[in-house]
Structures are given as C-alpha cells and as structure tokens.
Amino acid sequence: MAVTVEISGESYRTADNYLIKQQNGAISLSNIDILVLPGQAVPQSMESVQIIFDSVPQFFGIIESVDSPDFSSGYEVRRYRLSLQSGEVIFKWRLVAESYVGKYTHEIIADLFTNYIDPEGIDLGAIATTTRYYEEYNVSYMDLYSVLQELCDDINGAFYISADKKFYFQTSQEFTVVDMP
C-alpha cells in the first residue's frame, strides 16, 4: 500500500509510524512521521495536509506542530513527526454573526456553508434535509464550530469534513449502522 502525504501541494514520503483518527462531528488528533528529502521544505504549523492511501484520500487536516529530529552529525535521516488536527479545526477560527428568521436547520447550514466554509476551499458534500424550524435564530460572534455543534445538538446530527475536502451535515437517521456479529 502506497501512502503519500501532501502538505500544501507538495508530496512527502511517510515513515513507518502513524496514528490517524477521524471522528464524526469532532476535531481529532493524529500523528504521522514523514521523511523530508533534500530540496524539500520542512513542513510548518498551520499548513494543510492530505494523507492518501493508493491514490484515495483518507485524511484531511491541519498541522498543529512539527517535531524536529535531533541533529548531531548532519547525516541523520530528516524524519519529522507531525501532529495533525482534522479539518474541522478551521471552524474554530471563523467567527459567525448572523440572524435568521423563519428558517429550517438545513437552510441555516446551507447559508453558513456559502458564507464561511466554501471560501476555505471546502466543497459541499451533502446537507441533510431537516424538520427543525426556527422562528428566529441569532448568532453573535460565536465560532463556527460552536454554531454547527449547537445546530447538530438540536436535531441529534453531526457534521464533518471528509478526506476529499467535502463538508457533510447529517441527521442521526443517516448515520452508518454497523450490526454486531
């Protein structure tokens, strides 16, 4: 299985150590070791990362920190450990100030996507149709993550960014159910 790490558009080879977690509706923390070859830039915090297994995206996130190897002779392998946060972390960095009158949850989510998520380069995956209706819904300078979480809590739903950089908003009826043997 070929594993590639793309950091801000540049491909890096992986080392043999990685732990990737993805949680629906929550920011997950992952780690991966990469090899920086001669001529490649050392990754920096806040760069976007996409981990690809056999040309299929498996993870999208942002670099939280980069641990540098200890250098003593100059002949060490340039192996860096990246601490990654899943893509949903970008929602923590955007403040929302909106007012809605006579809207369903999915209409509010669609507007939030257009105004705050789409400009981040995230495509629309799907927004589930909901039955929760708001006579008035006001948000005064809350981070987008908290707004999305509040709307999810009201309908027992979840949101996430997929590995191929698409935004999804689901109701609990759309969750994948796995039957136990």
Side-chain angles (χ1 to χ4, degrees), residues 100-104 107 133-137:
Y100 299 98
V101 176
K103 298 281 185 188
Y104 288 95
E107 294 173 321
Y133 183 78
Y134 292 91
E135 291 291 333
E136 290 183 19
Y137 184 76

Side-chain angles (χ1 to χ4, degrees), residues 24-141:
N24 199 12
I27 298 169
S28 61
L29 298 174
S30 301
N31 296 302
I32 191 164
D33 289 358
I34 62 161
L35 302 173
V36 177
L37 302 176
Q40 286 186 313
V42 175
Q44 302 294 313
S45 296
M46 306 302 283
E47 286 187 285
S48 66
V49 175
Q50 195 168 26
I51 300 174
I52 301 166
F53 287 30
D54 292 331
S55 70
V56 177
Q58 297 294 321
F59 177 85
F60 165 70
I62 305 294
I63 298 175
E64 179 182 52
S65 64
V66 179
D67 289 336
S68 177
D70 293 329
F71 292 105
S72 60
S73 69
Y75 294 104
E76 293 82 11
V77 175
R78 295 181 63 191
R79 178 183 182 141
Y80 293 82
R81 168 151 298 163
L82 307 179
S83 294
L84 311 173
Q85 293 181 313
S86 60
E88 293 83 10
V89 74
I90 62 175
F91 300 154
K92 290 267 190 187
W93 306 332
R94 301 295 172 255
L95 289 179
V96 176
E98 300 285 346
S99 181
Y100 299 98
V101 176
K103 298 281 185 188
Y104 288 95
T105 302
H106 63 274
E107 294 173 321
I108 295 171
I109 294 294
D111 187 65
L112 292 172
F113 176 82
T114 301
N115 294 335
Y116 299 94
I117 301 171
D118 185 46
E120 295 291 338
I122 307 297
D123 294 326
L124 180 60
I127 297 174
T129 302
T130 60
T131 58
R132 174 72 159 98
Y133 183 78
Y134 292 91
E135 291 291 333
E136 290 183 19
Y137 184 76
N138 299 306
V139 179
S140 181
Y141 297 104

